Amino acid sequence: MALLIVASWKRQLHLWHRWLGIVLGLLVLLWFGSGIVMMYVPYPSLTEQERMAWLAPIDARLVRLNAWDAWQAAAHPNRANPAAPAALPAEVRITTVAGRPAYHFKADGHWLSVWADTGQPVQVTPKLAMSSARSAAPGAQALSAELIDIDQWSFGRLQDHRPLYRVQADDTAGSLLYISSRTGELVRDTTRSERAWNWAGSVIHWIYFTPLRTHGQPWRQVVMWTSGAAMLLVMLGMVLGIQRLRLRRRYAGGRRSPYRGWQAWHHWLGLSVGTLMMTWLFSGWLSVTPFDWLSSPGVTAQDRLAFAGGPLNRDDLSIAVADIVQRHTGALELEWRRVDGQLYLSALDRAHRQLLDADTGASAGPLPPARLLHAIQAMRPGAQLQSVQTLTSEDSYHYSHHHTAVLPVLRAQFALADDTTFYIDPAQGQLVGYADRNSQWNRWLFNGLHQLDFAAVLRARPLWDVLVISLCLLGGTATLAGVTLGWRRVRKR
């Protein structure tokens, strides 16, 4: 009786492994291939370096209003009592849009823009969108614009700018440019080559198909359950593979495996890289924070407000912007930034970003340690600051995968149960990182397992490339063998 139960149990394991492989095997195979593509072609985004190259300098002669006057005109253009106070924006910037300086105000989670020369709200039309996109496609002879909410290449952190103008250029790169309908700024760019590679990379790997991805929670559930089922598939395969392995009482001919051909490839490669495959699938499952496990708040809006020492006020918006722009003739963008109640301006030019004194326009970074310490303590006023250290090299939780993280940086650790830690850029007066106990666990279980990112030495290229590609090819070959066997089984039936 016991033998019959064991035999039935093994039969069920085989059936589950077989049919999960038939259903999910091809997807797992594509995950290996798309993972290799993503090592070199990420999902489209607009980088700071691209903005530095494409933004036009602000013309101080055209800046005829300060930010306060522009905000008053934008917030209440037709109000009966112009002297009545208006609610203040949470963020303020000034850039050049289609050849004219414009203030950009963020209030209630959305952007609102005003021309700095006239005080009129920026009305983003298809013509203005094409003009704004021109700098990113200088070789184009013709541009066309259409208003969209979302498409295949505009997922991500663009919600505050929607709807978007999608501008298509006829340049040799096949540029597709996305312009904010609220500010008139370029917020994302893609090329034909980038889009083609993404179909083989990010789209497959993240199951980023527009009809599904536009619905956040259903997409998250699909990723969570498919990766979970795939993890079960590999786990069953490992159990069965170990059961069929004979190290002492060998099969006929002295073989340790009973299989030949594709079955033998599947058996041996599965045993060799099965554990790695499970860790990759497990860490991929973690990427969507299943059941809110290991969720972390990160740097919150409340943290930023406390670090700033309060919201922007009328005096902050009343500074003489034109004078500062005149002093920094190459400025592409000025961003209002408060630290511990003191206003600064973050200025971007063709070479770098620097912090300026809002009154004089002189360079202000790095900020005084006393001011930074007071701003840091304000984020957790009831907690003890356990340590504040200046890091000149990356640590395990402040680093960038294959890029240089912001350095030097202040690491401020609070004596709290969740090991709350903030990372602050003293040169820019900005919060650049956060870690707590959950995010620390997630760093090792996701970044470590999914990207083999356990130490700086493993991130060094081309060592990392060779290691990851080799393992992906091994895992892909094991999966290909399983897909082939499954296809044969289906054809027989």
Side-chain angles (χ1 to χ4, degrees), residues 106-161:
K106 190 173 186 180
D108 299 325
H110 294 290
W111 288 100
L112 171 68
S113 296
V114 179
W115 295 118
D117 51 359
T118 65
Q120 296 297 313
V122 175
Q123 301 292 334
V124 184
T125 63
K127 182 179 179 181
L128 187 144
M130 288 186 285
S131 178
S132 185
R134 173 64 67 179
S135 63
Q141 298 297 316
L143 300 173
S144 60
E146 61 175 322
L147 189 65
I148 65 165
D149 184 59
I150 196 168
D151 71 358
Q152 186 66 55
W153 313 114
S154 59
F155 296 119
R157 300 175 182 178
L158 299 180
Q159 194 61 39
D160 300 339
H161 294 281

Side-chain angles (χ1 to χ4, degrees), residues 21-353:
I22 289 171
V23 173
L24 295 173
L26 181 60
L27 179 60
V28 175
L29 178 61
L30 291 174
W31 277 340
F32 280 111
S34 59
I36 295 175
V37 173
M38 288 177 64
M39 291 167 60
Y40 305 99
V41 186
Y43 188 74
S45 65
L46 184 68
T47 66
E48 179 103 313
Q49 288 70 31
E50 288 172 329
R51 296 186 75 231
M52 290 164 66
W54 295 340
L55 278 173
I58 303 169
D59 190 340
R61 298 169 300 175
L62 298 179
V63 181
R64 302 191 178 101
L65 289 84
N66 61 32
W68 173 257
D69 293 334
W71 171 247
Q72 291 292 96
H76 299 285
N78 300 311
R79 65 184 182 184
N81 180 12
L88 291 173
E91 298 179 37
V92 180
R93 296 181 293 109
I94 182 172
T95 65
T96 296
V97 175
R100 297 170 62 185
Y103 288 104
H104 309 295
F105 303 101
K106 190 173 186 180
D108 299 325
H110 294 290
W111 288 100
L112 171 68
S113 296
V114 179
W115 295 118
D117 51 359
T118 65
Q120 296 297 313
V122 175
Q123 301 292 334
V124 184
T125 63
K127 182 179 179 181
L128 187 144
M130 288 186 285
S131 178
S132 185
R134 173 64 67 179
S135 63
Q141 298 297 316
L143 300 173
S144 60
E146 61 175 322
L147 189 65
I148 65 165
D149 184 59
I150 196 168
D151 71 358
Q152 186 66 55
W153 313 114
S154 59
F155 296 119
R157 300 175 182 178
L158 299 180
Q159 194 61 39
D160 300 339
H161 294 281
R162 302 189 195 281
L164 305 169
Y165 277 99
R166 181 173 58 194
V167 179
Q168 187 164 354
D170 65 349
D171 59 355
T172 55
S175 299
L176 205 58
L177 309 163
Y178 294 84
I179 306 298
S180 169
S181 68
R182 298 178 178 275
T183 68
E185 297 174 288
L186 177 67
V187 292
R188 179 158 296 174
D189 69 304
T190 78
T191 63
R192 184 186 299 110
S193 173
E194 187 179 37
R195 295 192 297 274
W197 280 110
N198 262 271
W199 280 111
S202 300
V203 175
I204 290 174
H205 205 80
W206 293 338
I207 317 181
Y208 250 21
F209 299 99
T210 305
L212 176 63
R213 187 62 185 91
T214 50
H215 305 285
Q217 191 58 30
W219 166 79
R220 179 173 170 270
Q221 293 294 323
V222 167
V223 174
M224 183 172 70
W225 289 105
T226 52
S227 57
M231 187 164 51
L232 176 62
L233 162 68
V234 176
M235 192 181 304
L236 292 175
M238 287 291 289
V239 171
L240 293 171
I242 293 171
Q243 284 181 348
R244 301 295 287 169
L245 183 66
R246 288 187 182 180
L247 299 178
R248 294 182 179 178
R249 295 177 55 227
R250 300 185 182 184
Y251 295 97
R255 291 180 294 113
R256 295 181 176 86
S257 171
Y259 304 114
R260 297 180 184 275
W262 280 109
Q263 288 181 314
W265 278 99
H266 189 58
H267 188 200
W268 286 116
L269 284 173
L271 288 173
S272 301
V273 295
T275 301
L276 178 69
M277 291 171 68
M278 279 196 293
T279 62
W280 267 340
L281 290 166
F282 171 70
S283 53
W285 180 70
L286 280 181
S287 67
V288 292
T289 322
F291 313 111
D292 290 327
W293 187 44
L294 297 183
S295 60
S296 175
V299 179
T300 66
Q302 290 77 12
D303 292 332
R304 297 187 190 281
L305 186 61
F307 184 80
L312 294 168
N313 57 43
R314 177 172 180 169
D315 289 341
D316 295 338
L317 272 61
S318 299
I319 60 173
V321 177
D323 294 344
I324 296 176
V325 175
Q326 184 67 43
R327 178 168 178 172
H328 297 273
T329 54
L332 308 174
E333 176 185 67
L334 294 180
E335 178 184 338
W336 275 242
R337 183 171 296 170
R338 283 170 60 96
V339 180
D340 193 35
Q342 178 67 38
L343 179 67
Y344 300 92
L345 294 175
S346 177
L348 179 70
D349 59 27
R350 297 280 185 221
H352 65 305
R353 185 180 285 277

Side-chain angles (χ1 to χ4, degrees), residues 402-420:
H402 302 314
H403 299 282
T404 302
V406 175
L407 293 171
V409 69
L410 288 182
R411 180 177 64 191
Q413 295 176 297
F414 286 90
L416 293 170
D418 64 353
D419 294 332
T420 297

Side-chain angles (χ1 to χ4, degrees), residues 411-485:
R411 180 177 64 191
Q413 295 176 297
F414 286 90
L416 293 170
D418 64 353
D419 294 332
T420 297
T421 302
F422 289 96
Y423 295 87
I424 303 95
D425 180 358
Q428 293 295 325
Q430 189 175 25
L431 295 168
V432 293
Y434 171 90
D436 60 16
R437 186 162 296 167
N438 279 356
S439 66
Q440 289 169 2
W441 273 104
N442 192 67
R443 179 261 181 271
W444 297 113
L445 293 177
F446 176 72
N447 300 77
L449 294 177
H450 208 70
Q451 301 175 329
L452 300 186
D453 195 351
F454 291 104
V457 65
L458 289 178
R459 292 197 294 271
R461 308 187 90 156
L463 172 63
W464 180 79
D465 301 70
V466 173
L467 178 62
V468 174
I469 291 175
S470 299
L471 293 174
C472 281
L473 291 176
L474 287 173
T477 304
T479 308
L480 176 62
V483 170
T484 302
L485 295 173

